[in-house]
């Protein structure tokens, strides 16, 4: 429904969430969380151990320059040097620090966030698009000058992944301790259980800041998302270094994903209404997702193609491009329509749309894109995700990890949103579902 703000650059976390946090009716500024998500501390521990393991699994079942990838591949236990080196750690920390500087010094409009629990609205500097161009341009310039070799990112891929995981743990520890020491901190409604392990994972403080730097909003799109772009560029450089050319399949994957990230920065202020920013605390859950999961799982297809050449037919390549363009059109047009309606229902481009007025005071769109399906934007995401995987061909299921994972994630998110809206709108939601019967895929689901 148009009232639910989707965020498809979402991290791994939504896949596991049950959205069952219930809060006591309390007058305190920071009420105690009454119920756990993720099956409580044990589930949180499982995620904190299991998802880093998935990153390693994806690498060692499909290592660089290997001709075959298989989920049944069981490599030898890697040595510490195979997983870690200080140069990679320095590169990662330097990249993070560089983006902190860009956030602070580059100009950008100041945008008010949504109203939060204490009645305030925080200020956010929106300069992500400038940071995108400056940081990517700086990497390319250093490569051209011979100061930094892009192929380093490919050759030290797993070591960089380890650095990102370690940094995520360290940042999460800082976030938890600083929140505990700050008696004035506004805590996340879902991260104030009193269980240290769980609150460390889910995020104890809602909007942790160092001066004007909002750590959660900063990490949401950068440096991980821009890091994804830079790694993709490095993958093309690595293939060119090895073969003297860049395959059409690899160029397509990288072009699709780079455009997706660029599009996210074009609409940067949209993150301020997402659940990540408005409701979730900032702890390991989001820190790991932003800094490690995105750059080191979403680049799997490109890494697969560096040393593998599916040699797809022109017709297949054309079909993949058409799938990507169709998915992007659905994703962008539906989200833009929703955003315009939310900001100004009288806008000429959306004023003609039909709505269902609810007793909760909210209007639910029942025509336009949002009359086709209640989560039509998810369909666009799923089509794009498939288009990112198909250039890898069909020799292995491993590069289709993203498409499989994202399908499960979005269906789970859709079910969670449906539960939320059913509770909020009651009978009005039942009527809405009769008027807009399809959830994601018209006539199918």
């Amino acid at each position: 429904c148009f009232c639910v703000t989707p965020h498809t650059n979402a991290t791994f976390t939504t896949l596991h969430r049950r959205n069952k946090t219930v809060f006591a009716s309390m007058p305190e500024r920071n009420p105690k969380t009454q119920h756990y998500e993720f099956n409580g501390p044990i589930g949180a521990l499982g995620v904190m151990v299991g998802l880093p393991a998935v990153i390693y699994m994806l690498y060692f079942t499909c290592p660089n320059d290997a001709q075959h990838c298989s989920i049944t591949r069981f490599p030898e236990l890697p040595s510490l040097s195979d997983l870690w080196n200080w140069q990679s750690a320095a590169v990662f920390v330097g990249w993070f620090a560089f983006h902190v500087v860009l956030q602070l010094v580059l100009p950008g409009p100041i945008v008010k966030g949504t109203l939060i629990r204490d009645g305030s609205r925080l200020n956010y500097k929106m300069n992500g698009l400038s940071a995108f161009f400056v940081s990517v341009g700086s990497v390319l310039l250093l490569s051209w000058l011979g100061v930094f070799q892009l192929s380093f990112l490919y050759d030290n891929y797993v070591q960089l992944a380890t650095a990102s995981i370690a940094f995520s743990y360290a940042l999460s520890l800082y976030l938890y301790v600083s929140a505990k020491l700050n008696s004035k901190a506004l805590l996340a409604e879902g991260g104030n259980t009193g269980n240290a392990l769980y609150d460390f994972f889910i995020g104890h403080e809602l909007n942790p800041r160092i001066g004007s730097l909002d750590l959660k909003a900063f990490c949401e799109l950068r440096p991980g998302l821009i890091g994804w772009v830079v790694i993709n560029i490095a993958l093309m450089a690595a293939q060119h270094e090895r073969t003297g050319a860049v395959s059409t399949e690899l160029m397509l994957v990288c072009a699709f994903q780079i455009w997706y990230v660029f599009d996210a920065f074009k609409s940067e202020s949209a993150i301020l209404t997402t659940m990540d920013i408005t409701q979730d605390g900032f702890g390991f859950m989001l820190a790991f997702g932003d800094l490690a999961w995105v750059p080191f799982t979403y680049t799997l297809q490109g890494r697969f193609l560096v040393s593998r050449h599916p040699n797809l037919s022109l017709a297949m390549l054309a079909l993949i491009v058409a799938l990507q363009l169709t998915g992007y059109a659905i994703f962008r047009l539906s989200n833009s329509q929703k955003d315009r309606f939310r900001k100004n229902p009288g806008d000429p481009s959306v004023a003609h749309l039909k709505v269902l007025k609810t007793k909760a005071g909210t209007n639910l769109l029942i025509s336009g894109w949002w009359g086709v399906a209640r989560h039509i934007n998810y369909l666009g995401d799923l089509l794009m995700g498939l288009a990112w995987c198909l250039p890898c061909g069909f020799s292995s299921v491993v590069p289709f990890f993203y498409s499989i994972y994202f399908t499960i994630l979005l269906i789970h998110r859709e079910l969670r949103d449906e539960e939320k809206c059913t509770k909020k709108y009651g009978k009005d939601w039942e009527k809405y579902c009769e008027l807009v019967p399809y959830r994601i895929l018209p006539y199918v689901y």
Side-chain angles (χ1 to χ4, degrees), residues 19-284:
N19 201 33
K20 291 183 179 178
T21 303
V22 180
F23 312 101
S25 179
M26 300 173 67
E28 288 89 355
R29 170 183 169 88
N30 292 315
K32 281 287 186 180
T33 306
Q34 299 300 308
H35 289 272
Y36 288 120
E37 300 180 70
F38 291 90
N39 294 314
I42 297 300
L45 179 62
V47 172
M48 287 192 287
V49 174
L51 289 181
V54 170
I55 291 179
Y56 291 123
M57 179 200 73
L58 291 175
Y59 179 82
F60 287 109
T61 57
C62 195
N64 288 356
D65 296 326
Q67 292 303 308
H68 301 287
C69 298
S70 172
I71 57 175
T72 61
R73 180 190 182 100
F74 295 101
E76 295 181 3
L77 191 66
S79 65
L80 180 60
S81 62
D82 292 330
L83 301 178
W84 174 269
N85 62 53
W86 288 104
Q87 188 178 9
S88 295
V91 167
F92 183 86
V93 173
W95 177 250
F96 188 94
F98 179 47
H99 275 282
V100 170
V101 173
L102 294 181
Q103 168 69 41
L104 296 176
V105 304
L106 289 179
I110 303 299
V111 177
K112 289 282 187 183
T114 60
L115 195 68
I116 56 179
R117 193 171 68 249
D118 64 357
S120 66
R121 297 177 67 190
L122 299 175
N123 291 326
Y124 296 88
K125 185 198 285 188
M126 297 286 107
N127 61 3
L129 193 58
S130 298
F132 173 85
F133 286 118
V134 170
S135 58
V136 174
S138 297
V139 171
L140 293 176
L141 177 62
L142 291 176
S143 176
W144 181 70
L145 293 173
V147 176
F148 178 76
Q149 296 298 318
L150 279 170
S151 57
F152 173 88
L153 303 180
Y154 178 73
D155 296 335
N156 293 271
Y157 186 92
V158 73
Q159 291 88 348
L160 288 164
T162 300
S164 73
I165 294 168
F167 190 91
S168 298
Y169 276 109
L171 175 60
S172 303
L173 181 61
Y174 164 79
L175 292 167
Y176 178 74
V177 172
S178 63
K180 294 297 288 185
L181 296 177
N182 182 5
S183 61
K184 297 181 180 179
L186 183 66
L187 305 182
E189 292 182 333
N192 190 25
T193 65
N195 182 283
L197 175 64
Y198 182 84
D199 292 345
F200 168 88
F201 166 74
I202 208 76
H204 197 40
E205 187 173 356
L206 182 62
N207 300 110
R209 292 190 165 204
I210 300 176
S212 63
L213 179 65
D214 188 291
L215 293 170
K216 183 167 62 170
F218 168 74
C219 290
E220 185 77 5
L221 292 182
R222 44 188 162 159
L225 213 61
I226 301 178
W228 175 15
V229 169
V230 172
I231 291 174
N232 271 348
I233 295 173
L235 297 177
M236 290 188 286
Q239 188 181 69
H240 189 273
E241 185 179 277
R242 285 158 171 75
T243 66
V246 180
S247 68
T248 303
E249 292 87 353
L250 180 57
M251 283 193 289
L252 282 181
V253 169
C254 292
F256 293 162
Q257 295 182 344
I258 291 170
W259 177 260
Y260 186 82
V261 174
F262 170 74
D263 183 74
F265 281 105
K266 281 201 308 174
S267 307
E268 183 183 11
S269 60
I271 70 167
L272 301 182
T273 58
T274 64
M275 188 175 70
D276 288 358
I277 300 298
T278 61
Q279 297 180 30
D280 289 334
F282 191 38
F284 181 85

Side-chain angles (χ1 to χ4, degrees), residues 357-415:
K357 296 184 181 295
T358 70
K359 295 176 182 177
T362 305
N363 292 330
L364 301 176
L365 282 172
I366 56 174
S367 66
W369 283 102
W370 299 91
V372 177
R374 303 197 290 273
H375 303 273
I376 188 65
N377 55 324
Y378 290 179
L379 176 60
D381 259 317
L382 293 173
L383 294 178
M384 285 191 289
L386 183 58
W388 300 354
C389 299
L390 285 172
C392 297
F394 302 99
S395 63
S396 172
V397 71
V398 175
F400 284 83
F401 170 82
Y402 176 84
S403 186
I404 297 167
Y405 144 78
F406 212 54
T407 299
I408 297 170
L409 178 138
L410 289 183
I411 290 176
H412 182 272
R413 174 171 286 192
E414 175 269 325
L415 292 172

Side-chain angles (χ1 to χ4, degrees), residues 304-325:
F304 175 90
L305 287 167
V306 169
S307 58
R308 303 164 188 87
H309 308 284
N311 296 318
L312 300 180
S313 67
L314 185 61
M316 185 63 180
L317 294 173
L319 177 63
I320 292 170
V321 172
L323 188 65
Q324 166 69 20
L325 293 177

